[in-house]
Amino acid sequence: MVVTASLGRWQLSRAAQKEALQQAMDRRMAEPPLAVAEFLAQVRALAPADAQNAEPRSDPLLHRQVKLTGRWIADKTVYLDNRQMHGRQGFFVMTPLRLSDAPATPQQPSVVMVQRGWVPRNFEDRTRLPEIRTPEGEVQVLGRVAARPARLYEFDTSGNNARASAIRQNLDLVTFGAETGLPLLPLSVVQTAGDADDGLLRDWPAVDSGVDKHYGYAFQWFGLCALVAILYVWFQLIRRFLRPRSQPSA
Protein backbone atom coordinates (compact mmCIF):
# COMPACT_ATOMS: atom_id res chain seq x y z
CA MET A 1 0.00 0.00 0.00
CA VAL A 2 2.83 2.39 0.83
CA VAL A 3 4.56 1.71 -2.49
CA THR A 4 1.44 2.11 -4.64
CA ALA A 5 0.32 5.22 -2.74
CA SER A 6 3.79 6.74 -3.17
CA LEU A 7 3.71 6.04 -6.90
CA GLY A 8 0.29 7.68 -7.13
CA ARG A 9 1.54 10.78 -5.31
CA TRP A 10 4.56 10.90 -7.64
CA GLN A 11 2.28 10.82 -10.67
CA LEU A 12 0.25 13.69 -9.19
CA SER A 13 3.44 15.72 -8.75
CA ARG A 14 4.37 15.00 -12.37
CA ALA A 15 0.89 16.14 -13.42
CA ALA A 16 1.38 19.40 -11.49
CA GLN A 17 4.68 19.97 -13.30
CA LYS A 18 3.05 19.29 -16.67
CA GLU A 19 0.18 21.66 -15.83
CA ALA A 20 2.69 24.42 -15.07
CA LEU A 21 4.44 23.63 -18.37
CA GLN A 22 1.14 23.73 -20.25
CA GLN A 23 0.27 27.10 -18.74
CA ALA A 24 3.69 28.44 -19.75
CA MET A 25 3.20 27.16 -23.32
CA ASP A 26 -0.29 28.70 -23.48
CA ARG A 27 1.06 32.07 -22.32
CA ARG A 28 3.87 31.81 -24.87
CA MET A 29 1.47 31.06 -27.74
CA ALA A 30 -0.73 33.99 -26.71
CA GLU A 31 2.12 36.50 -27.09
CA PRO A 32 2.31 38.64 -30.25
CA PRO A 33 4.08 37.03 -33.23
CA LEU A 34 7.79 37.66 -33.61
CA ALA A 35 9.04 39.34 -36.77
CA VAL A 36 12.20 38.21 -38.56
CA ALA A 37 14.58 40.52 -36.70
CA GLU A 38 13.16 39.64 -33.27
CA PHE A 39 13.11 35.94 -34.09
CA LEU A 40 16.75 35.87 -35.23
CA ALA A 41 17.88 37.96 -32.26
CA GLN A 42 16.30 35.56 -29.78
CA VAL A 43 17.66 32.48 -31.58
CA ARG A 44 21.20 33.88 -31.52
CA ALA A 45 20.82 34.80 -27.86
CA LEU A 46 20.32 31.17 -26.93
CA ALA A 47 23.22 29.23 -25.47
CA PRO A 48 24.74 26.79 -28.00
CA ALA A 49 23.65 23.80 -25.91
CA ASP A 50 20.06 25.03 -25.81
CA ALA A 51 20.06 25.83 -29.51
CA GLN A 52 21.31 22.37 -30.43
CA ASN A 53 19.09 20.53 -27.96
CA ALA A 54 15.94 22.61 -27.86
CA GLU A 55 13.49 21.42 -25.22
CA PRO A 56 10.22 23.03 -24.07
CA ARG A 57 11.61 23.73 -20.58
CA SER A 58 14.89 25.31 -21.63
CA ASP A 59 14.10 27.01 -24.92
CA PRO A 60 12.07 30.22 -24.49
CA LEU A 61 11.26 30.28 -28.20
CA LEU A 62 9.39 27.00 -28.51
CA HIS A 63 5.70 27.48 -29.38
CA ARG A 64 6.11 31.23 -29.89
CA GLN A 65 4.11 32.63 -32.78
CA VAL A 66 6.24 34.02 -35.61
CA LYS A 67 5.52 36.04 -38.74
CA LEU A 68 8.44 35.47 -41.09
CA THR A 69 9.20 37.02 -44.46
CA GLY A 70 11.45 35.32 -46.97
CA ARG A 71 11.75 33.22 -50.12
CA TRP A 72 11.15 29.49 -50.46
CA ILE A 73 14.05 27.30 -51.58
CA ALA A 74 11.74 24.97 -53.49
CA ASP A 75 14.37 22.61 -54.91
CA LYS A 76 15.37 21.58 -51.38
CA THR A 77 11.86 20.51 -50.35
CA VAL A 78 11.73 17.32 -48.28
CA TYR A 79 8.73 14.99 -47.94
CA LEU A 80 8.66 13.17 -44.59
CA ASP A 81 7.04 9.78 -45.18
CA ASN A 82 4.52 7.84 -43.05
CA ARG A 83 2.94 10.90 -41.46
CA GLN A 84 -0.77 10.86 -40.68
CA MET A 85 -3.53 13.44 -40.67
CA HIS A 86 -7.20 12.55 -40.10
CA GLY A 87 -6.18 8.88 -40.11
CA ARG A 88 -4.71 9.02 -43.62
CA GLN A 89 -1.12 8.28 -44.61
CA GLY A 90 0.89 10.91 -46.42
CA PHE A 91 3.78 13.33 -46.21
CA PHE A 92 4.76 16.28 -44.07
CA VAL A 93 6.14 18.81 -46.55
CA MET A 94 9.20 20.71 -45.31
CA THR A 95 10.75 23.52 -47.33
CA PRO A 96 13.65 25.80 -46.36
CA LEU A 97 12.75 29.47 -46.09
CA ARG A 98 15.53 32.01 -46.64
CA LEU A 99 14.67 34.89 -44.35
CA SER A 100 14.66 38.39 -45.77
CA ASP A 101 17.08 41.09 -44.61
CA ALA A 102 19.26 38.58 -42.78
CA PRO A 103 22.97 37.87 -43.33
CA ALA A 104 23.74 34.39 -44.71
CA THR A 105 26.90 33.31 -42.91
CA PRO A 106 27.75 30.12 -41.04
CA GLN A 107 28.07 32.19 -37.86
CA GLN A 108 24.66 33.80 -38.47
CA PRO A 109 22.35 31.25 -40.17
CA SER A 110 19.38 32.76 -41.98
CA VAL A 111 17.48 29.74 -43.33
CA VAL A 112 14.76 27.98 -41.35
CA MET A 113 13.03 24.70 -42.19
CA VAL A 114 9.27 25.20 -42.36
CA GLN A 115 6.83 22.33 -41.91
CA ARG A 116 4.35 23.68 -44.42
CA GLY A 117 1.59 21.10 -44.16
CA TRP A 118 0.41 17.60 -44.97
CA VAL A 119 -0.37 16.06 -48.34
CA PRO A 120 -1.61 12.53 -49.25
CA ARG A 121 0.68 10.20 -51.12
CA ASN A 122 0.15 8.22 -54.29
CA PHE A 123 -0.14 4.55 -53.27
CA GLU A 124 -0.01 3.31 -56.87
CA ASP A 125 3.40 4.92 -57.41
CA ARG A 126 5.08 5.39 -54.03
CA THR A 127 8.00 7.27 -55.57
CA ARG A 128 5.77 9.90 -57.16
CA LEU A 129 5.91 13.29 -55.48
CA PRO A 130 2.61 15.05 -54.81
CA GLU A 131 1.79 18.24 -56.61
CA ILE A 132 1.97 21.30 -54.37
CA ARG A 133 2.21 24.98 -55.21
CA THR A 134 5.30 26.80 -53.95
CA PRO A 135 5.09 30.55 -54.59
CA GLU A 136 8.05 32.31 -56.11
CA GLY A 137 9.22 35.62 -54.79
CA GLU A 138 8.87 36.94 -51.28
CA VAL A 139 6.24 35.32 -49.05
CA GLN A 140 5.01 35.81 -45.50
CA VAL A 141 4.72 32.74 -43.28
CA LEU A 142 2.67 32.66 -40.09
CA GLY A 143 3.50 29.78 -37.77
CA ARG A 144 4.89 28.66 -34.44
CA VAL A 145 8.40 27.70 -33.43
CA ALA A 146 9.04 23.98 -32.98
CA ALA A 147 12.03 21.80 -32.22
CA ARG A 148 13.51 19.33 -34.66
CA PRO A 149 10.96 17.31 -36.67
CA ALA A 150 9.66 14.29 -34.80
CA ARG A 151 11.56 11.11 -35.63
CA LEU A 152 10.03 7.80 -36.64
CA TYR A 153 11.69 4.40 -36.48
CA GLU A 154 13.59 3.54 -39.63
CA PHE A 155 15.43 0.37 -40.61
CA ASP A 156 18.03 2.10 -42.80
CA THR A 157 19.94 4.61 -40.67
CA SER A 158 22.78 5.19 -43.09
CA GLY A 159 20.87 7.87 -44.98
CA ASN A 160 22.47 6.96 -48.32
CA ASN A 161 19.16 6.12 -49.97
CA ALA A 162 17.46 9.13 -48.40
CA ARG A 163 19.94 11.58 -49.89
CA ALA A 164 19.09 10.37 -53.38
CA SER A 165 15.39 11.25 -52.98
CA ALA A 166 13.24 14.04 -51.61
CA ILE A 167 11.18 11.39 -49.76
CA ARG A 168 12.70 10.65 -46.36
CA GLN A 169 11.65 8.93 -43.19
CA ASN A 170 13.35 11.45 -40.90
CA LEU A 171 15.18 14.74 -41.23
CA ASP A 172 18.13 15.80 -39.11
CA LEU A 173 18.69 19.55 -39.43
CA VAL A 174 22.43 19.43 -38.81
CA THR A 175 22.98 16.67 -41.38
CA PHE A 176 20.66 18.30 -43.90
CA GLY A 177 22.43 21.63 -43.51
CA ALA A 178 25.81 20.02 -44.15
CA GLU A 179 24.39 18.07 -47.09
CA THR A 180 22.84 21.08 -48.83
CA GLY A 181 25.23 23.80 -47.67
CA LEU A 182 22.33 25.85 -46.31
CA PRO A 183 22.93 27.91 -43.13
CA LEU A 184 20.06 26.32 -41.23
CA LEU A 185 18.76 27.52 -37.88
CA PRO A 186 18.64 24.79 -35.19
CA LEU A 187 14.87 25.21 -34.85
CA SER A 188 12.00 24.64 -37.25
CA VAL A 189 8.68 26.42 -37.79
CA VAL A 190 5.28 24.78 -38.17
CA GLN A 191 3.19 26.84 -40.59
CA THR A 192 -0.31 27.45 -39.24
CA ALA A 193 -1.81 29.55 -42.04
CA GLY A 194 -1.29 29.71 -45.78
CA ASP A 195 -2.90 29.80 -49.19
CA ALA A 196 -5.93 27.56 -49.56
CA ASP A 197 -4.88 26.54 -53.08
CA ASP A 198 -1.38 25.29 -52.28
CA GLY A 199 -2.64 21.71 -51.85
CA LEU A 200 -1.62 21.35 -48.19
CA LEU A 201 -3.60 20.61 -45.03
CA ARG A 202 -2.64 22.27 -41.76
CA ASP A 203 -4.99 20.71 -39.20
CA TRP A 204 -2.21 20.33 -36.64
CA PRO A 205 -3.08 18.81 -33.26
CA ALA A 206 -3.18 21.19 -30.33
CA VAL A 207 0.04 21.53 -28.36
CA ASP A 208 -0.43 19.33 -25.29
CA SER A 209 2.03 18.60 -22.48
CA GLY A 210 0.37 15.24 -21.73
CA VAL A 211 -0.95 16.01 -18.25
CA ASP A 212 -3.98 13.72 -18.64
CA LYS A 213 -1.90 10.55 -18.82
CA HIS A 214 -0.31 11.32 -15.44
CA TYR A 215 -3.74 11.66 -13.84
CA GLY A 216 -4.66 8.34 -15.44
CA TYR A 217 -1.55 6.66 -14.02
CA ALA A 218 -2.23 8.19 -10.59
CA PHE A 219 -5.80 6.80 -10.67
CA GLN A 220 -4.45 3.34 -11.47
CA TRP A 221 -1.91 3.41 -8.63
CA PHE A 222 -4.44 4.70 -6.08
CA GLY A 223 -6.95 2.13 -7.31
CA LEU A 224 -4.39 -0.63 -6.79
CA CYS A 225 -3.65 0.76 -3.32
CA ALA A 226 -7.37 0.68 -2.47
CA LEU A 227 -7.63 -2.88 -3.80
CA VAL A 228 -4.77 -4.04 -1.56
CA ALA A 229 -6.45 -2.37 1.43
CA ILE A 230 -9.81 -4.02 0.68
CA LEU A 231 -8.21 -7.46 0.26
CA TYR A 232 -6.28 -7.06 3.49
CA VAL A 233 -9.40 -6.08 5.46
CA TRP A 234 -11.37 -8.96 3.94
CA PHE A 235 -8.86 -11.77 4.45
CA GLN A 236 -7.24 -10.60 7.70
CA LEU A 237 -10.24 -9.16 9.57
CA ILE A 238 -13.69 -9.93 8.17
CA ARG A 239 -12.97 -13.58 7.29
CA ARG A 240 -11.79 -14.25 10.84
CA PHE A 241 -15.18 -13.23 12.21
CA LEU A 242 -17.19 -14.98 9.51
CA ARG A 243 -15.38 -18.34 9.64
CA PRO A 244 -16.68 -19.56 13.05
CA ARG A 245 -20.27 -18.73 12.13
CA SER A 246 -20.06 -20.67 8.90
CA GLN A 247 -18.87 -23.85 10.65
CA PRO A 248 -21.65 -26.33 11.70
CA SER A 249 -22.24 -26.72 15.43
CA ALA A 250 -20.99 -29.92 17.12
Side-chain angles (χ1 to χ4, degrees), residues 23-34 42 60-67 142-143:
Q23 293 174 2
M25 291 191 299
D26 293 341
R27 289 193 300 268
R28 197 175 297 167
M29 288 186 290
E31 295 178 359
L34 296 174
Q42 293 202 28
L61 275 178
L62 283 184
H63 311 299
R64 278 295 305 269
Q65 301 292 323
V66 292
K67 184 182 293 184
L142 182 64

Side-chain angles (χ1 to χ4, degrees), residues 18-149:
K18 289 295 184 68
E19 282 185 340
L21 178 61
Q22 184 67 49
Q23 293 174 2
M25 291 191 299
D26 293 341
R27 289 193 300 268
R28 197 175 297 167
M29 288 186 290
E31 295 178 359
L34 296 174
V36 173
E38 298 173 300
F39 173 63
L40 289 176
Q42 293 202 28
V43 170
R44 291 161 185 165
L46 295 175
D50 289 338
Q52 294 297 327
N53 302 284
E55 296 292 341
R57 297 179 183 176
S58 61
D59 188 352
L61 275 178
L62 283 184
H63 311 299
R64 278 295 305 269
Q65 301 292 323
V66 292
K67 184 182 293 184
L68 305 178
T69 304
R71 294 175 179 269
W72 295 116
I73 308 176
D75 60 331
K76 296 296 190 294
T77 298
V78 174
Y79 299 82
L80 297 184
D81 200 1
N82 296 318
R83 264 56 175 189
Q84 292 189 3
M85 187 166 287
H86 302 313
R88 300 171 60 194
Q89 289 286 346
F91 301 107
F92 281 170
V93 180
M94 301 198 66
T95 304
L97 179 71
R98 191 180 301 279
L99 301 176
S100 300
D101 302 326
T105 64
Q107 294 75 21
Q108 295 182 331
S110 60
V111 179
V112 60
M113 288 297 295
V114 178
Q115 187 169 302
R116 298 171 57 191
W118 178 91
V119 65
R121 72 172 309 157
N122 189 323
F123 288 97
E124 296 180 357
D125 184 2
R126 299 182 65 88
T127 62
R128 182 177 179 180
L129 297 177
E131 296 182 3
I132 60 173
R133 189 178 70 85
T134 302
E136 297 182 358
E138 194 168 80
V139 296
Q140 191 174 74
V141 176
L142 182 64
R144 57 178 172 82
V145 180
R148 300 185 179 104

Side-chain angles (χ1 to χ4, degrees), residues 206-222:
V207 178
D208 187 8
S209 62
V211 63
D212 292 337
K213 68 177 182 179
H214 292 288
Y215 282 121
Y217 293 151
F219 177 80
Q220 293 177 5
W221 285 119
F222 286 132

